[in-house]
Amino acid sequence: MYQRALTNVEKVLKPSVGRVMNAQTVAAFDAARASLGTAILLERDELSKITPPSGLVVAHPAVLDAFDAYADSVHTNLGKVGSTRNGCGAPKSPDVRLYEAKDGVRTAYATLAQAVQKAIGKGVKYGTVSVPAKPAAPAVIGGRGENGDVFQRSGSRGASSLQITNAGSDAVIVVTNSVPKKPQASIYVRGNKTVTLNGIRGDYYVYFKSGSNWDDKTHQFTESCSYSKFDKKLDGSYNWRISLTKTLFGNATTSSTDAF
């Protein structure tokens, strides 16, 4: 009898969970999420009317508590993991918001299934047919640029070059004759790699930013961002070598800057 009740809950909730996971927009997800939250509470109420067998008298309240926790998670999930700003303070793309919200609902459902199964022990099963698959992550999640990719160029080419060694996180080097938002060139340097930027003209400043989850569309890191510059203006008559990691005998100072 108890197994039939749990199986029926799975059958009832599975379509609602499916609509959440198949939503194509944040608005559609939020509507489906609200519907799922209502369905969970209804099924939880039906379970509460059951008189459990003697072997599950202690487990039954824990099962109801697990459904309460899942309902709370579903009702608050979009606000919790579907925030509108990324870790670097910029607007988060809708596809990332949608992925994070779906992943939160899916993870919470898997937690529900584990909690129910732990409470009831062997002999009765829950979650075998209704835990959804993990959603596919957008390209920006874990995204990285190609090492040595010069993705911005402006103006004529010069004769100078800059060798960059990066022993830290992935970074972008911006060479500019004025400010970083007016780059002469921008080059992507992966961690533990060395690249050379050729064709630099005139005296120039070197700015660099590092982080994770590279968005190739906006040319920005979206998590764990930092922004800096080399204080010294480099003479374009020479070829220079720089390291993005502080060294004991380094002779160039850096300063933090505003985001660029």
Side-chain angles (χ1 to χ4, degrees), residues 124-139:
V124 180
K125 295 182 179 181
Y126 183 82
T128 56
V129 299
S130 55
V131 176
K134 188 175 178 63

Side-chain angles (χ1 to χ4, degrees), residues 1-37:
M1 176 270 293
Y2 205 81
Q3 179 66 79
R4 285 199 304 270
L6 288 177
T7 300
N8 183 66
V9 170
E10 281 202 80
K11 290 180 178 178
V12 171
L13 293 184
K14 186 175 181 179
S16 295
V17 174
R19 282 190 288 272
V20 169
M21 301 304 294
N22 291 328
Q24 297 300 304
T25 66
V26 170
F29 167 87
D30 205 20
R33 178 181 63 89
S35 178
L36 173 60

Side-chain angles (χ1 to χ4, degrees), residues 54-218:
S54 59
L56 294 176
V57 170
V58 175
H60 189 56
V63 170
L64 298 179
D65 288 345
F67 276 92
D68 286 336
Y70 184 54
D72 288 343
S73 177
V74 168
H75 278 298
T76 61
N77 187 263
L78 186 60
K80 182 180 179 182
V81 298
S83 59
T84 59
R85 296 273 170 180
N86 61 34
C88 299
K92 187 179 293 184
S93 64
D95 59 336
V96 171
R97 289 186 63 205
L98 187 58
Y99 163 75
E100 290 179 341
K102 287 181 179 181
D103 191 53
V105 167
R106 186 260 176 197
T107 300
Y109 194 88
T111 300
L112 164 67
Q114 292 169 1
V116 171
Q117 195 64 60
K118 181 179 179 180
I120 58 182
K122 297 180 179 180
V124 180
K125 295 182 179 181
Y126 183 82
T128 56
V129 299
S130 55
V131 176
K134 188 175 178 63
V140 68
I141 304 294
R144 303 177 74 186
E146 292 297 324
N147 189 56
D149 178 31
V150 181
F151 57 86
Q152 289 177 318
R153 279 278 193 185
S154 65
S156 59
R157 303 288 182 92
S160 183
S161 67
L162 176 67
Q163 184 185 91
I164 306 129
T165 299
N166 179 17
S169 303
D170 285 14
V172 167
I173 304 299
V174 174
V175 168
T176 177
N177 303 108
S178 55
V179 293
K181 292 189 176 181
K182 294 181 180 180
Q184 184 184 140
S186 298
I187 185 170
Y188 194 100
V189 189
R190 288 192 172 190
N192 299 311
K193 296 290 184 180
T194 297
V195 300
T196 299
L197 176 64
N198 296 306
I200 302 173
R201 68 179 186 278
D203 298 344
Y204 58 93
Y205 295 101
V206 176
Y207 288 77
F208 59 100
K209 55 187 175 184
S210 63
S212 61
N213 288 3
W214 175 251
D215 188 338
D216 198 49
K217 295 180 181 178
T218 62

